[in-house]
Amino acid sequence: MSAVTTAERPAAPETPLIDDVTVALLGGRFAVRDLPGGLLALDVTAPKGTAVEIRLAIPLRDAVGFWHPACGWERTLLADWAGRIHTSLIKGAPVGCLYETSGATMLAFAAQDPVIETELVFGISEATKRFVVHLHLTAGDGPYTLAFAPRATSVATALRSLRGHLAETAALPPLPTPAAGRAPTYSTWYAFGQDVHADAVEAEAAHAADLGCGTLILDDGWVAGGDKRGYAWVGDWVVDTAKFPDLAGHVRRVKELGLDYLLWVAPLLLGPESAAWERMRDLAPLPSPVTPGAYVLDPRRPEVRAHIVALCTGLVADHGLDGLKIDFLDEAQIYAGDGEDIGHAMSVLLDELRAALQAIRPGIMIELRQPYLGHGMAAYGNLLRASDCPADAVANRVRTLDIGLLALGGAVHSDMLMWDPDGSPESAARQLLSVLTSVPQLSSRLDGLRDDHRAALAFWLRTWIRLRPVLLDGEVDPGRPDELYPIVRARADGHQVVVLHAERIAPVDLARTRLVEVVNVTSAPRVTLDVTGSSEVEETVRDATGALMGNRRFTLGPGLHSLTVPPSGLLSLRLLH
């Protein structure tokens, strides 16, 4: 019977590593070396095929939370008998960050190899009164390297330095992101479901282009037989000509509106009701645990990899697409622990797919989503989307910010935005305001928008485009993960943006600043700033629809200031030095 807690595992000598962190190793040898930027590398070597266990431990001190890419809502301190995750290229990543009440980090690490199947056992050891992380893996051909960041002021700061190292050591560079991938995007999924037709989609595309969108994604519903939820029908990938008599012509017409075009596909799924079932059923021995009715093609089989590359390249070439939304890649994880490493098999598949797609469509866009957004996937996707959370602004905020903490490249995308068509413009706008540090994907019907909803959407999309250099490319710090990021701050070139998702006091430093903008995502009519420094400022206040509510000049000095800002409104403070 395996050990329940880490204290029950065989003892091993511990060695000081970095700050208060110690390391112990079973099954190999390790060496430590310095990395640029104050980082530290732990190189573990063992004969290929050896079971290796890397143990990290740190005194509890004032620890309050532990973040990792797949933490979901469990971002506080679990007991070591509860903290368990299994990672590979397509599920999470062996990356973690322990932090204290101030938000400062105590332990921040990332494995350079994102491919190999790894089990992480982590949490508070009741026996030793420490926080521990144990990584279990099988040694490969070369060293297994963990990079560590020294104590930092925040999780975002520590992970920023680790991201830089991971990008430099990646086997392949991140997939380049064209401009359209950084523009607002329209998706058909929540707006239409599977009831998509060429004329209706083209009409919506025209509205989306008018609002500043750069890409349209045609989601599920375009495939013949795919008119019902569940995936027993999946596998043939033949166009439903009743809905799209000429899909290539439809794509061309949408592109003439100024939008790039992506198509949804789930190439690993195979259903018993498909024509391909009899021919390919032996390649999909296991049923999907999450997509009802479907089985999962085994990517360890060369013929499966060849099939998927041919399918995806054929769709792009035949219909003039600019890219694909590739769904359910994490389903391959069902084959983990059974023979060949599933992460390695998916790496081989995705290497082949990347090369083939770039050969026929330079500048290809590929949308991937949580949970298969570890740092190893930066080479294979450039639109990195939050997992489905329809109309859940809190989840969308948390998930997009989580993705951004580890993204080596590409553009973080929100889950598709939908809202109550009968709700207030403030509540409709709040869906967009919750994901400002990502590229918004719209998925509400635009043809029947109320005038006030249209005004709010148009204003905030224009504002997002104006703020994009700060929100996407600036230094973003969302604070403590366990608090669900109530205050998000971004800064670039003297421009500060503060997004208030809760009624908190927002710190604002006027040093080296020319413009401060505060977004009030709460229902309160005021915001409170804690100002450092002093300057004469020009204040502009706008409501959720962009209507001007106030404009004045005054001296903004140090200390607390309560300023009137409507719910879902914008406060701009231009410094007049």
Side-chain angles (χ1 to χ4, degrees), residues 62-65 98-106 151-155 477 479-483 489:
D62 191 30
V64 294
L98 180 73
Y99 53 92
E100 62 186 22
T101 301
S102 69
T105 60
M106 305 168 64
R151 183 177 173 89
T153 56
S154 69
V155 172
D477 199 319
R480 277 174 41 180
D482 62 305
E483 292 184 335
R489 292 179 289 170

mmCIF file of all heavy atoms in Angstrom, residues 62-65 98-106 151-155 477 479-483 489:
data_model
loop_
_atom_site.group_PDB
_atom_site.id
_atom_site.type_symbol
_atom_site.label_atom_id
_atom_site.label_comp_id
_atom_site.label_asym_id
_atom_site.label_seq_id
_atom_site.Cartn_x
_atom_site.Cartn_y
_atom_site.Cartn_z
ATOM 1 N N ASP A 62 4.520 32.176 7.100
ATOM 2 C CA ASP A 62 3.225 32.859 6.938
ATOM 3 C C ASP A 62 2.536 32.459 5.633
ATOM 4 O O ASP A 62 1.803 33.243 5.029
ATOM 5 C CB ASP A 62 3.454 34.374 6.984
ATOM 6 C CG ASP A 62 2.161 35.169 7.103
ATOM 7 O OD1 ASP A 62 1.194 34.646 7.701
ATOM 8 O OD2 ASP A 62 2.113 36.296 6.587
ATOM 9 N N ALA A 63 2.783 31.223 5.162
ATOM 10 C CA ALA A 63 2.220 30.782 3.884
ATOM 11 C C ALA A 63 0.695 30.798 3.914
ATOM 12 O O ALA A 63 0.077 30.415 4.909
ATOM 13 C CB ALA A 63 2.719 29.374 3.564
ATOM 14 N N VAL A 64 0.085 31.244 2.813
ATOM 15 C CA VAL A 64 -1.380 31.272 2.726
ATOM 16 C C VAL A 64 -1.920 30.596 1.475
ATOM 17 O O VAL A 64 -3.107 30.265 1.413
ATOM 18 C CB VAL A 64 -1.940 32.708 2.786
ATOM 19 C CG1 VAL A 64 -1.684 33.335 4.135
ATOM 20 C CG2 VAL A 64 -1.385 33.580 1.659
ATOM 21 N N GLY A 65 -1.085 30.392 0.445
ATOM 22 C CA GLY A 65 -1.623 29.805 -0.774
ATOM 23 C C GLY A 65 -0.555 29.205 -1.653
ATOM 24 O O GLY A 65 0.625 29.559 -1.571
ATOM 25 N N LEU A 98 4.453 29.028 -4.007
ATOM 26 C CA LEU A 98 3.939 29.184 -2.650
ATOM 27 C C LEU A 98 4.155 30.639 -2.237
ATOM 28 O O LEU A 98 5.213 31.201 -2.476
ATOM 29 C CB LEU A 98 4.689 28.252 -1.695
ATOM 30 C CG LEU A 98 4.280 28.280 -0.225
ATOM 31 C CD1 LEU A 98 2.933 27.597 -0.020
ATOM 32 C CD2 LEU A 98 5.365 27.607 0.633
ATOM 33 N N TYR A 99 3.123 31.237 -1.602
ATOM 34 C CA TYR A 99 3.229 32.654 -1.260
ATOM 35 C C TYR A 99 2.622 32.901 0.112
ATOM 36 O O TYR A 99 1.847 32.094 0.636
ATOM 37 C CB TYR A 99 2.551 33.522 -2.323
ATOM 38 C CG TYR A 99 1.127 33.121 -2.611
ATOM 39 C CD1 TYR A 99 0.058 33.703 -1.936
ATOM 40 C CD2 TYR A 99 0.846 32.136 -3.551
ATOM 41 C CE1 TYR A 99 -1.248 33.322 -2.188
ATOM 42 C CE2 TYR A 99 -0.455 31.739 -3.810
ATOM 43 C CZ TYR A 99 -1.504 32.346 -3.126
ATOM 44 O OH TYR A 99 -2.802 31.948 -3.370
ATOM 45 N N GLU A 100 2.982 34.057 0.687
ATOM 46 C CA GLU A 100 2.551 34.412 2.033
ATOM 47 C C GLU A 100 1.488 35.510 2.005
ATOM 48 O O GLU A 100 1.046 35.936 0.932
ATOM 49 C CB GLU A 100 3.755 34.853 2.859
ATOM 50 C CG GLU A 100 4.442 36.090 2.314
ATOM 51 C CD GLU A 100 5.721 36.423 3.082
ATOM 52 O OE1 GLU A 100 6.280 35.518 3.727
ATOM 53 O OE2 GLU A 100 6.153 37.585 3.025
ATOM 54 N N THR A 101 1.076 35.966 3.197
ATOM 55 C CA THR A 101 -0.010 36.928 3.310
ATOM 56 C C THR A 101 0.262 38.213 2.540
ATOM 57 O O THR A 101 -0.644 38.791 1.920
ATOM 58 C CB THR A 101 -0.269 37.259 4.791
ATOM 59 O OG1 THR A 101 -0.594 36.048 5.477
ATOM 60 C CG2 THR A 101 -1.413 38.238 4.943
ATOM 61 N N SER A 102 1.495 38.684 2.543
ATOM 62 C CA SER A 102 1.833 39.910 1.825
ATOM 63 C C SER A 102 1.756 39.744 0.314
ATOM 64 O O SER A 102 1.780 40.734 -0.423
ATOM 65 C CB SER A 102 3.252 40.355 2.198
ATOM 66 O OG SER A 102 4.214 39.458 1.668
ATOM 67 N N GLY A 103 1.660 38.519 -0.155
ATOM 68 C CA GLY A 103 1.712 38.225 -1.583
ATOM 69 C C GLY A 103 3.089 37.833 -2.057
ATOM 70 O O GLY A 103 3.251 37.354 -3.182
ATOM 71 N N ALA A 104 4.118 38.041 -1.202
ATOM 72 C CA ALA A 104 5.489 37.675 -1.573
ATOM 73 C C ALA A 104 5.627 36.168 -1.678
ATOM 74 O O ALA A 104 4.978 35.409 -0.953
ATOM 75 C CB ALA A 104 6.478 38.230 -0.550
ATOM 76 N N THR A 105 6.491 35.724 -2.572
ATOM 77 C CA THR A 105 6.662 34.298 -2.796
ATOM 78 C C THR A 105 7.677 33.692 -1.827
ATOM 79 O O THR A 105 8.614 34.357 -1.387
ATOM 80 C CB THR A 105 7.122 34.025 -4.234
ATOM 81 O OG1 THR A 105 8.370 34.675 -4.469
ATOM 82 C CG2 THR A 105 6.093 34.540 -5.218
ATOM 83 N N MET A 106 7.473 32.425 -1.526
ATOM 84 C CA MET A 106 8.368 31.668 -0.655
ATOM 85 C C MET A 106 9.071 30.551 -1.426
ATOM 86 O O MET A 106 10.178 30.156 -1.101
ATOM 87 C CB MET A 106 7.572 31.071 0.501
ATOM 88 C CG MET A 106 6.781 32.105 1.304
ATOM 89 S SD MET A 106 5.592 31.337 2.435
ATOM 90 C CE MET A 106 6.695 30.447 3.535
ATOM 91 N N ARG A 151 12.989 34.616 -3.735
ATOM 92 C CA ARG A 151 11.851 35.315 -3.140
ATOM 93 C C ARG A 151 11.558 36.599 -3.919
ATOM 94 O O ARG A 151 12.452 37.375 -4.234
ATOM 95 C CB ARG A 151 12.162 35.649 -1.680
ATOM 96 C CG ARG A 151 11.030 36.308 -0.930
ATOM 97 C CD ARG A 151 11.418 36.540 0.527
ATOM 98 N NE ARG A 151 10.413 37.313 1.240
ATOM 99 C CZ ARG A 151 9.369 36.795 1.873
ATOM 100 N NH1 ARG A 151 9.204 35.471 1.883
ATOM 101 N NH2 ARG A 151 8.495 37.555 2.502
ATOM 102 N N ALA A 152 10.283 36.802 -4.257
ATOM 103 C CA ALA A 152 9.860 37.960 -5.037
ATOM 104 C C ALA A 152 8.657 38.616 -4.367
ATOM 105 O O ALA A 152 8.010 38.027 -3.498
ATOM 106 C CB ALA A 152 9.509 37.543 -6.464
ATOM 107 N N THR A 153 8.337 39.826 -4.785
ATOM 108 C CA THR A 153 7.256 40.586 -4.146
ATOM 109 C C THR A 153 5.877 40.046 -4.466
ATOM 110 O O THR A 153 4.919 40.338 -3.751
ATOM 111 C CB THR A 153 7.320 42.061 -4.567
ATOM 112 O OG1 THR A 153 7.268 42.145 -6.005
ATOM 113 C CG2 THR A 153 8.603 42.711 -4.069
ATOM 114 N N SER A 154 5.763 39.267 -5.533
ATOM 115 C CA SER A 154 4.448 38.735 -5.901
ATOM 116 C C SER A 154 4.616 37.487 -6.749
ATOM 117 O O SER A 154 5.692 37.237 -7.313
ATOM 118 C CB SER A 154 3.628 39.778 -6.681
ATOM 119 O OG SER A 154 4.195 39.994 -7.960
ATOM 120 N N VAL A 155 3.528 36.732 -6.861
ATOM 121 C CA VAL A 155 3.522 35.545 -7.718
ATOM 122 C C VAL A 155 3.814 35.944 -9.162
ATOM 123 O O VAL A 155 4.588 35.286 -9.870
ATOM 124 C CB VAL A 155 2.171 34.818 -7.605
ATOM 125 C CG1 VAL A 155 2.072 33.690 -8.629
ATOM 126 C CG2 VAL A 155 1.969 34.274 -6.191
ATOM 127 N N ASP A 477 0.213 42.759 -12.763
ATOM 128 C CA ASP A 477 0.262 42.094 -11.466
ATOM 129 C C ASP A 477 -1.145 42.030 -10.892
ATOM 130 O O ASP A 477 -1.732 43.051 -10.545
ATOM 131 C CB ASP A 477 1.191 42.824 -10.497
ATOM 132 C CG ASP A 477 1.622 41.937 -9.334
ATOM 133 O OD1 ASP A 477 0.764 41.193 -8.815
ATOM 134 O OD2 ASP A 477 2.803 41.980 -8.955
ATOM 135 N N GLY A 479 -2.043 40.352 -8.091
ATOM 136 C CA GLY A 479 -2.104 40.113 -6.649
ATOM 137 C C GLY A 479 -2.161 38.643 -6.296
ATOM 138 O O GLY A 479 -1.717 37.774 -7.044
ATOM 139 N N ARG A 480 -2.756 38.357 -5.122
ATOM 140 C CA ARG A 480 -2.760 36.991 -4.600
ATOM 141 C C ARG A 480 -3.775 36.106 -5.319
ATOM 142 O O ARG A 480 -4.953 36.459 -5.430
ATOM 143 C CB ARG A 480 -3.090 37.010 -3.108
ATOM 144 C CG ARG A 480 -1.900 37.295 -2.227
ATOM 145 C CD ARG A 480 -2.263 37.457 -0.777
ATOM 146 N NE ARG A 480 -3.251 36.529 -0.263
ATOM 147 C CZ ARG A 480 -3.688 36.527 0.986
ATOM 148 N NH1 ARG A 480 -3.178 37.415 1.855
ATOM 149 N NH2 ARG A 480 -4.583 35.662 1.387
ATOM 150 N N PRO A 481 -3.347 34.920 -5.782
ATOM 151 C CA PRO A 481 -4.278 34.018 -6.457
ATOM 152 C C PRO A 481 -5.443 33.561 -5.586
ATOM 153 O O PRO A 481 -6.565 33.392 -6.084
ATOM 154 C CB PRO A 481 -3.389 32.832 -6.855
ATOM 155 C CG PRO A 481 -2.026 33.417 -6.985
ATOM 156 C CD PRO A 481 -1.948 34.446 -5.898
ATOM 157 N N ASP A 482 -5.208 33.343 -4.272
ATOM 158 C CA ASP A 482 -6.289 32.838 -3.428
ATOM 159 C C ASP A 482 -7.372 33.882 -3.201
ATOM 160 O O ASP A 482 -8.498 33.544 -2.826
ATOM 161 C CB ASP A 482 -5.747 32.350 -2.082
ATOM 162 C CG ASP A 482 -5.089 33.466 -1.287
ATOM 163 O OD1 ASP A 482 -4.165 34.114 -1.824
ATOM 164 O OD2 ASP A 482 -5.491 33.703 -0.130
ATOM 165 N N GLU A 483 -7.070 35.155 -3.429
ATOM 166 C CA GLU A 483 -8.080 36.211 -3.308
ATOM 167 C C GLU A 483 -8.853 36.412 -4.606
ATOM 168 O O GLU A 483 -9.737 37.260 -4.687
ATOM 169 C CB GLU A 483 -7.417 37.524 -2.896
ATOM 170 C CG GLU A 483 -6.851 37.498 -1.472
ATOM 171 C CD GLU A 483 -6.288 38.834 -1.040
ATOM 172 O OE1 GLU A 483 -5.898 39.643 -1.914
ATOM 173 O OE2 GLU A 483 -6.241 39.076 0.186
ATOM 174 N N ARG A 489 -3.417 45.304 -11.696
ATOM 175 C CA ARG A 489 -2.679 46.499 -12.105
ATOM 176 C C ARG A 489 -1.770 46.171 -13.277
ATOM 177 O O ARG A 489 -1.108 45.134 -13.291
ATOM 178 C CB ARG A 489 -1.857 47.031 -10.935
ATOM 179 C CG ARG A 489 -2.713 47.592 -9.802
ATOM 180 C CD ARG A 489 -1.860 48.090 -8.658
ATOM 181 N NE ARG A 489 -1.246 46.976 -7.934
ATOM 182 C CZ ARG A 489 -0.296 47.136 -7.013
ATOM 183 N NH1 ARG A 489 0.179 48.339 -6.745
ATOM 184 N NH2 ARG A 489 0.201 46.084 -6.385
#
